[in-house]
Amino acid sequence: MTAHEIDYHLYGEEMQYVEIELNPQEGVIAEAGSFMMMDDGIKMETIFGDGSTQNQGFLGSILGAGKRILTGESLFMTAFYNTVVGKRKVSFASPYPGKIIPIDLTEFGGKFVCQKDAFLCAAKGVSIGIEFSRRLGRGLFGGEGFIMQKLEGDGMAFVHAGGTMAKKVLQRGETLRVDTGCIVGFTKDVDYDIEFIGGIKNTIFGGEGLFFAKLQGPGIVYIQSLPFSRLAGRVLASAPQGGGKQKGEGSILGGIGNLLDGDNRF
């Protein structure tokens, strides 16, 4: 497996995008909906699966697309190729506030495991597959289910983390306990399991769920401070309820209070 060699540059702080520079005939694959802009001379093509050499032929393409259904993604991916002489650029944007993490698979032994919606784009030739959990407890209570996504090959891939990203390098036997939704991804040698929090008060009143994710080294783990599910939950909790009033709209000033506090919604 030999992925295309691509150059890239990250722009922005909290709402980042990645600009990828393609030499003639080089390509990049991306999730549908992540495209931002491209130079003239870039050809866009919708493909089954990931278009890697592992999925050659009609049957291979069907199997590759089937794997994507299991991870909750679309049947199709989008490939972008430089079809002209000279370098051309194509850019992909993060879906919500956070950080884009460049992953050089050659530095991680050719494999990186990530949550199902973390993948953004990768060099043509990188295989995007599924990683089944071999442990019942992890599958039932791990937050990511039995299936995670795996990126394999020898090229560059890009994943997205919500909020601020933390990179933890675990030594052999070193353990890190994490909220299950805060995991972005980890290298292939990291042992991933779930652990019961314990204690009646912690279980009933702790508000942190029943389980931690337990990650044991050696390897590298990427953690996000703001999982999208947590952000969406806070937005839903603050949405207007019942008769259309917003949460906290109990002030005696009512609508006048909104004018005074700068809440000038469209």
Side-chain angles (χ1 to χ4, degrees):
M1 182 187 303
T2 303
H4 293 188
E5 296 182 6
I6 59 175
D7 298 318
Y8 70 94
H9 193 280
L10 293 176
Y11 291 92
E13 295 296 331
E14 303 304 327
M15 286 296 293
Q16 290 187 318
Y17 73 92
V18 57
E19 180 184 77
I20 296 178
E21 185 178 78
L22 300 176
N23 291 321
Q25 306 308 313
E26 283 185 344
V28 60
I29 55 174
E31 285 290 357
S34 62
F35 168 71
M36 179 179 173
M37 61 182 174
M38 63 182 178
D39 290 342
D40 188 29
I42 298 288
K43 177 186 176 183
M44 184 177 73
E45 179 184 354
T46 300
I47 59 175
F48 267 118
D50 55 27
S52 67
T53 55
Q54 290 187 1
N55 295 326
Q56 286 182 342
F58 177 75
L59 181 59
S61 296
I62 294 297
L63 291 175
K67 292 177 182 178
R68 293 180 51 73
I69 292 179
L70 290 174
T71 59
E73 303 293 346
S74 168
L75 268 173
F76 300 94
M77 296 190 74
T78 309
F80 298 83
Y81 302 96
N82 181 2
T83 60
V84 298
V85 177
K87 297 182 179 181
R88 293 293 186 270
K89 297 176 181 178
V90 58
S91 300
F92 305 94
S94 56
Y96 51 91
K99 300 294 183 182
I100 295 175
I101 308 168
I103 303 293
D104 187 346
L105 292 173
T106 58
E107 297 180 358
F108 296 149
K111 179 180 176 181
F112 184 80
V113 180
C114 61
Q115 65 174 338
K116 291 179 288 187
D117 60 350
F119 173 71
L120 188 67
C121 61
K124 184 71 167 61
V126 171
S127 174
I128 295 91
I130 55 177
E131 179 81 359
F132 284 101
S133 173
R134 297 183 178 86
R135 299 178 181 175
L136 180 62
R138 170 179 160 185
L140 293 177
F141 308 112
E144 298 299 335
F146 287 97
I147 301 172
M148 296 184 75
Q149 214 166 31
K150 64 179 177 182
L151 311 176
E152 293 181 298
D154 54 5
M156 290 295 304
F158 299 87
V159 297
H160 181 260
T164 301
M165 185 273 296
K167 178 182 178 180
K168 298 293 184 180
V169 180
L170 302 180
Q171 303 302 318
R172 185 174 299 277
E174 186 178 1
T175 298
L176 182 69
R177 289 171 175 82
V178 184
D179 181 277
T180 55
C182 289
I183 299 174
V184 177
F186 45 85
T187 53
K188 64 178 183 178
D189 292 327
V190 171
D191 182 60
Y192 171 41
D193 201 358
I194 57 99
E195 182 177 83
F196 181 60
I197 291 178
I200 296 177
K201 288 192 295 184
N202 290 335
T203 302
I204 299 177
F205 306 111
E208 299 295 340
L210 300 179
F211 299 92
F212 290 130
K214 181 181 178 181
L215 302 162
Q216 189 171 56
I220 299 174
V221 179
Y222 291 93
I223 307 297
Q224 59 187 346
S225 66
L226 184 61
F228 181 72
S229 58
R230 184 179 297 176
L231 174 62
R234 293 297 178 93
V235 171
L236 289 174
S238 299
Q241 307 291 326
K245 290 187 176 182
Q246 62 174 327
K247 184 177 180 181
E249 194 179 349
S251 169
I252 59 174
L253 294 176
I256 298 177
N258 287 338
L259 295 176
L260 296 178
D261 68 11
D263 185 11
N264 300 314
R265 295 181 299 278
F266 295 101

PDB file of all heavy atoms in Angstrom, residues 96-126:
ATOM      1  N   TYR A  96     -17.307  21.684  13.305  1.00  0.00           N
ATOM      2  CA  TYR A  96     -17.706  22.466  14.468  1.00  0.00           C
ATOM      3  C   TYR A  96     -16.446  22.920  15.193  1.00  0.00           C
ATOM      4  O   TYR A  96     -15.339  22.448  14.872  1.00  0.00           O
ATOM      5  CB  TYR A  96     -18.635  21.665  15.399  1.00  0.00           C
ATOM      6  CG  TYR A  96     -18.126  20.300  15.794  1.00  0.00           C
ATOM      7  CD1 TYR A  96     -17.351  20.121  16.946  1.00  0.00           C
ATOM      8  CD2 TYR A  96     -18.429  19.178  15.037  1.00  0.00           C
ATOM      9  CE1 TYR A  96     -16.880  18.874  17.311  1.00  0.00           C
ATOM     10  CE2 TYR A  96     -17.974  17.923  15.399  1.00  0.00           C
ATOM     11  CZ  TYR A  96     -17.205  17.781  16.535  1.00  0.00           C
ATOM     12  OH  TYR A  96     -16.729  16.530  16.887  1.00  0.00           O
ATOM     13  N   PRO A  97     -16.532  23.864  16.135  1.00  0.00           N
ATOM     14  CA  PRO A  97     -15.328  24.425  16.759  1.00  0.00           C
ATOM     15  C   PRO A  97     -14.431  23.348  17.361  1.00  0.00           C
ATOM     16  O   PRO A  97     -14.885  22.459  18.069  1.00  0.00           O
ATOM     17  CB  PRO A  97     -15.896  25.348  17.849  1.00  0.00           C
ATOM     18  CG  PRO A  97     -17.245  25.730  17.352  1.00  0.00           C
ATOM     19  CD  PRO A  97     -17.765  24.522  16.629  1.00  0.00           C
ATOM     20  N   GLY A  98     -13.152  23.450  17.054  1.00  0.00           N
ATOM     21  CA  GLY A  98     -12.202  22.471  17.568  1.00  0.00           C
ATOM     22  C   GLY A  98     -10.883  22.549  16.831  1.00  0.00           C
ATOM     23  O   GLY A  98     -10.507  23.591  16.300  1.00  0.00           O
ATOM     24  N   LYS A  99     -10.187  21.422  16.788  1.00  0.00           N
ATOM     25  CA  LYS A  99      -8.870  21.346  16.172  1.00  0.00           C
ATOM     26  C   LYS A  99      -8.818  20.212  15.158  1.00  0.00           C
ATOM     27  O   LYS A  99      -9.422  19.150  15.354  1.00  0.00           O
ATOM     28  CB  LYS A  99      -7.788  21.105  17.235  1.00  0.00           C
ATOM     29  CG  LYS A  99      -7.690  22.182  18.299  1.00  0.00           C
ATOM     30  CD  LYS A  99      -7.221  23.505  17.723  1.00  0.00           C
ATOM     31  CE  LYS A  99      -7.059  24.552  18.816  1.00  0.00           C
ATOM     32  NZ  LYS A  99      -6.654  25.866  18.262  1.00  0.00           N
ATOM     33  N   ILE A 100      -8.085  20.453  14.068  1.00  0.00           N
ATOM     34  CA  ILE A 100      -7.797  19.402  13.098  1.00  0.00           C
ATOM     35  C   ILE A 100      -6.443  18.811  13.439  1.00  0.00           C
ATOM     36  O   ILE A 100      -5.455  19.537  13.622  1.00  0.00           O
ATOM     37  CB  ILE A 100      -7.807  19.959  11.661  1.00  0.00           C
ATOM     38  CG1 ILE A 100      -9.214  20.441  11.292  1.00  0.00           C
ATOM     39  CG2 ILE A 100      -7.345  18.897  10.670  1.00  0.00           C
ATOM     40  CD1 ILE A 100      -9.292  21.115   9.937  1.00  0.00           C
ATOM     41  N   ILE A 101      -6.371  17.482  13.529  1.00  0.00           N
ATOM     42  CA  ILE A 101      -5.144  16.794  13.929  1.00  0.00           C
ATOM     43  C   ILE A 101      -4.559  16.051  12.735  1.00  0.00           C
ATOM     44  O   ILE A 101      -5.200  15.156  12.185  1.00  0.00           O
ATOM     45  CB  ILE A 101      -5.422  15.784  15.058  1.00  0.00           C
ATOM     46  CG1 ILE A 101      -6.172  16.457  16.210  1.00  0.00           C
ATOM     47  CG2 ILE A 101      -4.128  15.149  15.543  1.00  0.00           C
ATOM     48  CD1 ILE A 101      -6.718  15.462  17.220  1.00  0.00           C
ATOM     49  N   PRO A 102      -3.352  16.433  12.282  1.00  0.00           N
ATOM     50  CA  PRO A 102      -2.702  15.675  11.207  1.00  0.00           C
ATOM     51  C   PRO A 102      -2.103  14.376  11.758  1.00  0.00           C
ATOM     52  O   PRO A 102      -1.406  14.382  12.768  1.00  0.00           O
ATOM     53  CB  PRO A 102      -1.617  16.632  10.712  1.00  0.00           C
ATOM     54  CG  PRO A 102      -1.336  17.534  11.869  1.00  0.00           C
ATOM     55  CD  PRO A 102      -2.590  17.619  12.694  1.00  0.00           C
ATOM     56  N   ILE A 103      -2.388  13.279  11.090  1.00  0.00           N
ATOM     57  CA  ILE A 103      -1.904  11.963  11.511  1.00  0.00           C
ATOM     58  C   ILE A 103      -1.026  11.390  10.406  1.00  0.00           C
ATOM     59  O   ILE A 103      -1.515  11.064   9.316  1.00  0.00           O
ATOM     60  CB  ILE A 103      -3.072  10.992  11.799  1.00  0.00           C
ATOM     61  CG1 ILE A 103      -4.005  11.565  12.866  1.00  0.00           C
ATOM     62  CG2 ILE A 103      -2.542   9.618  12.210  1.00  0.00           C
ATOM     63  CD1 ILE A 103      -3.396  11.671  14.238  1.00  0.00           C
ATOM     64  N   ASP A 104       0.276  11.264  10.667  1.00  0.00           N
ATOM     65  CA  ASP A 104       1.181  10.609   9.728  1.00  0.00           C
ATOM     66  C   ASP A 104       1.210   9.124  10.083  1.00  0.00           C
ATOM     67  O   ASP A 104       1.823   8.722  11.078  1.00  0.00           O
ATOM     68  CB  ASP A 104       2.578  11.220   9.829  1.00  0.00           C
ATOM     69  CG  ASP A 104       3.520  10.697   8.748  1.00  0.00           C
ATOM     70  OD1 ASP A 104       3.182   9.683   8.096  1.00  0.00           O
ATOM     71  OD2 ASP A 104       4.592  11.290   8.558  1.00  0.00           O
ATOM     72  N   LEU A 105       0.534   8.299   9.287  1.00  0.00           N
ATOM     73  CA  LEU A 105       0.379   6.894   9.633  1.00  0.00           C
ATOM     74  C   LEU A 105       1.700   6.147   9.652  1.00  0.00           C
ATOM     75  O   LEU A 105       1.830   5.122  10.333  1.00  0.00           O
ATOM     76  CB  LEU A 105      -0.594   6.234   8.651  1.00  0.00           C
ATOM     77  CG  LEU A 105      -2.054   6.707   8.762  1.00  0.00           C
ATOM     78  CD1 LEU A 105      -2.899   6.119   7.640  1.00  0.00           C
ATOM     79  CD2 LEU A 105      -2.646   6.334  10.113  1.00  0.00           C
ATOM     80  N   THR A 106       2.706   6.619   8.930  1.00  0.00           N
ATOM     81  CA  THR A 106       4.009   5.947   8.951  1.00  0.00           C
ATOM     82  C   THR A 106       4.658   6.052  10.327  1.00  0.00           C
ATOM     83  O   THR A 106       5.463   5.193  10.709  1.00  0.00           O
ATOM     84  CB  THR A 106       4.949   6.557   7.897  1.00  0.00           C
ATOM     85  OG1 THR A 106       5.111   7.961   8.154  1.00  0.00           O
ATOM     86  CG2 THR A 106       4.390   6.366   6.495  1.00  0.00           C
ATOM     87  N   GLU A 107       4.307   7.086  11.099  1.00  0.00           N
ATOM     88  CA  GLU A 107       4.873   7.257  12.440  1.00  0.00           C
ATOM     89  C   GLU A 107       4.139   6.414  13.478  1.00  0.00           C
ATOM     90  O   GLU A 107       4.614   6.262  14.604  1.00  0.00           O
ATOM     91  CB  GLU A 107       4.830   8.732  12.837  1.00  0.00           C
ATOM     92  CG  GLU A 107       5.672   9.640  11.954  1.00  0.00           C
ATOM     93  CD  GLU A 107       5.606  11.092  12.390  1.00  0.00           C
ATOM     94  OE1 GLU A 107       4.866  11.381  13.359  1.00  0.00           O
ATOM     95  OE2 GLU A 107       6.280  11.926  11.770  1.00  0.00           O
ATOM     96  N   PHE A 108       2.952   5.905  13.118  1.00  0.00           N
ATOM     97  CA  PHE A 108       2.132   5.148  14.059  1.00  0.00           C
ATOM     98  C   PHE A 108       1.993   3.680  13.673  1.00  0.00           C
ATOM     99  O   PHE A 108       1.027   3.015  14.048  1.00  0.00           O
ATOM    100  CB  PHE A 108       0.738   5.775  14.168  1.00  0.00           C
ATOM    101  CG  PHE A 108       0.737   7.165  14.747  1.00  0.00           C
ATOM    102  CD1 PHE A 108      -0.222   8.092  14.358  1.00  0.00           C
ATOM    103  CD2 PHE A 108       1.699   7.559  15.669  1.00  0.00           C
ATOM    104  CE1 PHE A 108      -0.226   9.381  14.888  1.00  0.00           C
ATOM    105  CE2 PHE A 108       1.692   8.840  16.203  1.00  0.00           C
ATOM    106  CZ  PHE A 108       0.742   9.746  15.819  1.00  0.00           C
ATOM    107  N   GLY A 109       2.951   3.178  12.914  1.00  0.00           N
ATOM    108  CA  GLY A 109       2.912   1.773  12.549  1.00  0.00           C
ATOM    109  C   GLY A 109       1.846   1.429  11.525  1.00  0.00           C
ATOM    110  O   GLY A 109       1.445   0.274  11.401  1.00  0.00           O
ATOM    111  N   GLY A 110       1.363   2.427  10.784  1.00  0.00           N
ATOM    112  CA  GLY A 110       0.425   2.178   9.704  1.00  0.00           C
ATOM    113  C   GLY A 110      -1.024   2.052  10.113  1.00  0.00           C
ATOM    114  O   GLY A 110      -1.872   1.704   9.286  1.00  0.00           O
ATOM    115  N   LYS A 111      -1.352   2.371  11.382  1.00  0.00           N
ATOM    116  CA  LYS A 111      -2.741   2.225  11.821  1.00  0.00           C
ATOM    117  C   LYS A 111      -3.063   3.218  12.924  1.00  0.00           C
ATOM    118  O   LYS A 111      -2.258   3.431  13.834  1.00  0.00           O
ATOM    119  CB  LYS A 111      -2.994   0.799  12.311  1.00  0.00           C
ATOM    120  CG  LYS A 111      -4.414   0.547  12.807  1.00  0.00           C
ATOM    121  CD  LYS A 111      -4.574  -0.902  13.279  1.00  0.00           C
ATOM    122  CE  LYS A 111      -5.954  -1.157  13.864  1.00  0.00           C
ATOM    123  NZ  LYS A 111      -6.112  -2.550  14.338  1.00  0.00           N
ATOM    124  N   PHE A 112      -4.270   3.801  12.838  1.00  0.00           N
ATOM    125  CA  PHE A 112      -4.759   4.708  13.870  1.00  0.00           C
ATOM    126  C   PHE A 112      -6.246   4.446  14.049  1.00  0.00           C
ATOM    127  O   PHE A 112      -6.991   4.359  13.072  1.00  0.00           O
ATOM    128  CB  PHE A 112      -4.521   6.167  13.460  1.00  0.00           C
ATOM    129  CG  PHE A 112      -4.903   7.175  14.509  1.00  0.00           C
ATOM    130  CD1 PHE A 112      -4.058   7.442  15.568  1.00  0.00           C
ATOM    131  CD2 PHE A 112      -6.109   7.859  14.433  1.00  0.00           C
ATOM    132  CE1 PHE A 112      -4.405   8.375  16.539  1.00  0.00           C
ATOM    133  CE2 PHE A 112      -6.468   8.791  15.388  1.00  0.00           C
ATOM    134  CZ  PHE A 112      -5.606   9.054  16.455  1.00  0.00           C
ATOM    135  N   VAL A 113      -6.690   4.304  15.297  1.00  0.00           N
ATOM    136  CA  VAL A 113      -8.094   4.017  15.612  1.00  0.00           C
ATOM    137  C   VAL A 113      -8.743   5.289  16.137  1.00  0.00           C
ATOM    138  O   VAL A 113      -8.187   5.957  17.017  1.00  0.00           O
ATOM    139  CB  VAL A 113      -8.210   2.890  16.662  1.00  0.00           C
ATOM    140  CG1 VAL A 113      -9.672   2.612  16.987  1.00  0.00           C
ATOM    141  CG2 VAL A 113      -7.519   1.627  16.166  1.00  0.00           C
ATOM    142  N   CYS A 114      -9.926   5.638  15.605  1.00  0.00           N
ATOM    143  CA  CYS A 114     -10.579   6.873  16.018  1.00  0.00           C
ATOM    144  C   CYS A 114     -12.081   6.660  16.137  1.00  0.00           C
ATOM    145  O   CYS A 114     -12.624   5.660  15.672  1.00  0.00           O
ATOM    146  CB  CYS A 114     -10.276   8.014  15.041  1.00  0.00           C
ATOM    147  SG  CYS A 114     -10.831   7.725  13.351  1.00  0.00           S
ATOM    148  N   GLN A 115     -12.756   7.606  16.777  1.00  0.00           N
ATOM    149  CA  GLN A 115     -14.204   7.525  16.895  1.00  0.00           C
ATOM    150  C   GLN A 115     -14.835   7.685  15.512  1.00  0.00           C
ATOM    151  O   GLN A 115     -14.222   8.198  14.581  1.00  0.00           O
ATOM    152  CB  GLN A 115     -14.727   8.573  17.862  1.00  0.00           C
ATOM    153  CG  GLN A 115     -14.522  10.007  17.424  1.00  0.00           C
ATOM    154  CD  GLN A 115     -15.209  10.973  18.379  1.00  0.00           C
ATOM    155  OE1 GLN A 115     -16.129  10.624  19.095  1.00  0.00           O
ATOM    156  NE2 GLN A 115     -14.749  12.213  18.383  1.00  0.00           N
ATOM    157  N   LYS A 116     -16.083   7.280  15.396  1.00  0.00           N
ATOM    158  CA  LYS A 116     -16.708   7.101  14.088  1.00  0.00           C
ATOM    159  C   LYS A 116     -16.837   8.388  13.284  1.00  0.00           C
ATOM    160  O   LYS A 116     -16.796   8.356  12.056  1.00  0.00           O
ATOM    161  CB  LYS A 116     -18.087   6.456  14.260  1.00  0.00           C
ATOM    162  CG  LYS A 116     -18.009   4.994  14.720  1.00  0.00           C
ATOM    163  CD  LYS A 116     -19.378   4.389  14.893  1.00  0.00           C
ATOM    164  CE  LYS A 116     -20.090   4.948  16.110  1.00  0.00           C
ATOM    165  NZ  LYS A 116     -21.362   4.234  16.379  1.00  0.00           N
ATOM    166  N   ASP A 117     -17.015   9.540  13.949  1.00  0.00           N
ATOM    167  CA  ASP A 117     -17.227  10.779  13.203  1.00  0.00           C
ATOM    168  C   ASP A 117     -16.022  11.708  13.224  1.00  0.00           C
ATOM    169  O   ASP A 117     -16.137  12.885  12.901  1.00  0.00           O
ATOM    170  CB  ASP A 117     -18.450  11.518  13.746  1.00  0.00           C
ATOM    171  CG  ASP A 117     -18.299  11.882  15.213  1.00  0.00           C
ATOM    172  OD1 ASP A 117     -17.343  11.396  15.841  1.00  0.00           O
ATOM    173  OD2 ASP A 117     -19.146  12.633  15.741  1.00  0.00           O
ATOM    174  N   ALA A 118     -14.837  11.181  13.587  1.00  0.00           N
ATOM    175  CA  ALA A 118     -13.658  12.034  13.708  1.00  0.00           C
ATOM    176  C   ALA A 118     -12.940  12.255  12.378  1.00  0.00           C
ATOM    177  O   ALA A 118     -12.303  13.287  12.172  1.00  0.00           O
ATOM    178  CB  ALA A 118     -12.673  11.437  14.718  1.00  0.00           C
ATOM    179  N   PHE A 119     -13.032  11.299  11.445  1.00  0.00           N
ATOM    180  CA  PHE A 119     -12.276  11.387  10.197  1.00  0.00           C
ATOM    181  C   PHE A 119     -12.731  12.560   9.346  1.00  0.00           C
ATOM    182  O   PHE A 119     -13.932  12.806   9.189  1.00  0.00           O
ATOM    183  CB  PHE A 119     -12.416  10.090   9.404  1.00  0.00           C
ATOM    184  CG  PHE A 119     -11.809  10.149   8.029  1.00  0.00           C
ATOM    185  CD1 PHE A 119     -10.446  10.179   7.859  1.00  0.00           C
ATOM    186  CD2 PHE A 119     -12.631  10.203   6.908  1.00  0.00           C
ATOM    187  CE1 PHE A 119      -9.879  10.254   6.595  1.00  0.00           C
ATOM    188  CE2 PHE A 119     -12.086  10.277   5.641  1.00  0.00           C
ATOM    189  CZ  PHE A 119     -10.709  10.298   5.478  1.00  0.00           C
ATOM    190  N   LEU A 120     -11.763  13.311   8.780  1.00  0.00           N
ATOM    191  CA  LEU A 120     -12.061  14.464   7.932  1.00  0.00           C
ATOM    192  C   LEU A 120     -11.627  14.207   6.491  1.00  0.00           C
ATOM    193  O   LEU A 120     -12.438  14.268   5.572  1.00  0.00           O
ATOM    194  CB  LEU A 120     -11.359  15.708   8.482  1.00  0.00           C
ATOM    195  CG  LEU A 120     -11.709  17.044   7.812  1.00  0.00           C
ATOM    196  CD1 LEU A 120     -13.163  17.424   8.075  1.00  0.00           C
ATOM    197  CD2 LEU A 120     -10.772  18.148   8.322  1.00  0.00           C
ATOM    198  N   CYS A 121     -10.342  13.901   6.282  1.00  0.00           N
ATOM    199  CA  CYS A 121      -9.841  13.635   4.936  1.00  0.00           C
ATOM    200  C   CYS A 121      -8.500  12.913   5.051  1.00  0.00           C
ATOM    201  O   CYS A 121      -7.909  12.831   6.133  1.00  0.00           O
ATOM    202  CB  CYS A 121      -9.703  14.923   4.125  1.00  0.00           C
ATOM    203  SG  CYS A 121      -8.557  16.140   4.825  1.00  0.00           S
ATOM    204  N   ALA A 122      -8.010  12.392   3.907  1.00  0.00           N
ATOM    205  CA  ALA A 122      -6.751  11.643   3.906  1.00  0.00           C
ATOM    206  C   ALA A 122      -6.200  11.587   2.499  1.00  0.00           C
ATOM    207  O   ALA A 122      -6.927  11.791   1.508  1.00  0.00           O
ATOM    208  CB  ALA A 122      -6.952  10.233   4.458  1.00  0.00           C
ATOM    209  N   ALA A 123      -4.913  11.274   2.394  1.00  0.00           N
ATOM    210  CA  ALA A 123      -4.290  11.085   1.090  1.00  0.00           C
ATOM    211  C   ALA A 123      -4.912   9.887   0.395  1.00  0.00           C
ATOM    212  O   ALA A 123      -5.288   8.900   1.042  1.00  0.00           O
ATOM    213  CB  ALA A 123      -2.789  10.887   1.248  1.00  0.00           C
ATOM    214  N   LYS A 124      -5.049   9.972  -0.931  1.00  0.00           N
ATOM    215  CA  LYS A 124      -5.569   8.850  -1.704  1.00  0.00           C
ATOM    216  C   LYS A 124      -4.679   7.629  -1.476  1.00  0.00           C
ATOM    217  O   LYS A 124      -3.458   7.700  -1.565  1.00  0.00           O
ATOM    218  CB  LYS A 124      -5.581   9.217  -3.196  1.00  0.00           C
ATOM    219  CG  LYS A 124      -6.186   8.156  -4.098  1.00  0.00           C
ATOM    220  CD  LYS A 124      -7.680   8.073  -3.913  1.00  0.00           C
ATOM    221  CE  LYS A 124      -8.327   7.252  -5.034  1.00  0.00           C
ATOM    222  NZ  LYS A 124      -7.849   5.871  -5.092  1.00  0.00           N
ATOM    223  N   GLY A 125      -5.296   6.502  -1.160  1.00  0.00           N
ATOM    224  CA  GLY A 125      -4.555   5.284  -0.869  1.00  0.00           C
ATOM    225  C   GLY A 125      -4.663   4.860   0.581  1.00  0.00           C
ATOM    226  O   GLY A 125      -4.419   3.700   0.909  1.00  0.00           O
ATOM    227  N   VAL A 126      -5.031   5.788   1.470  1.00  0.00           N
ATOM    228  CA  VAL A 126      -5.272   5.440   2.871  1.00  0.00           C
ATOM    229  C   VAL A 126      -6.598   4.687   2.955  1.00  0.00           C
ATOM    230  O   VAL A 126      -7.601   5.083   2.362  1.00  0.00           O
ATOM    231  CB  VAL A 126      -5.311   6.700   3.754  1.00  0.00           C
ATOM    232  CG1 VAL A 126      -5.789   6.364   5.171  1.00  0.00           C
ATOM    233  CG2 VAL A 126      -3.934   7.349   3.806  1.00  0.00           C
TER     234      VAL A 126
END
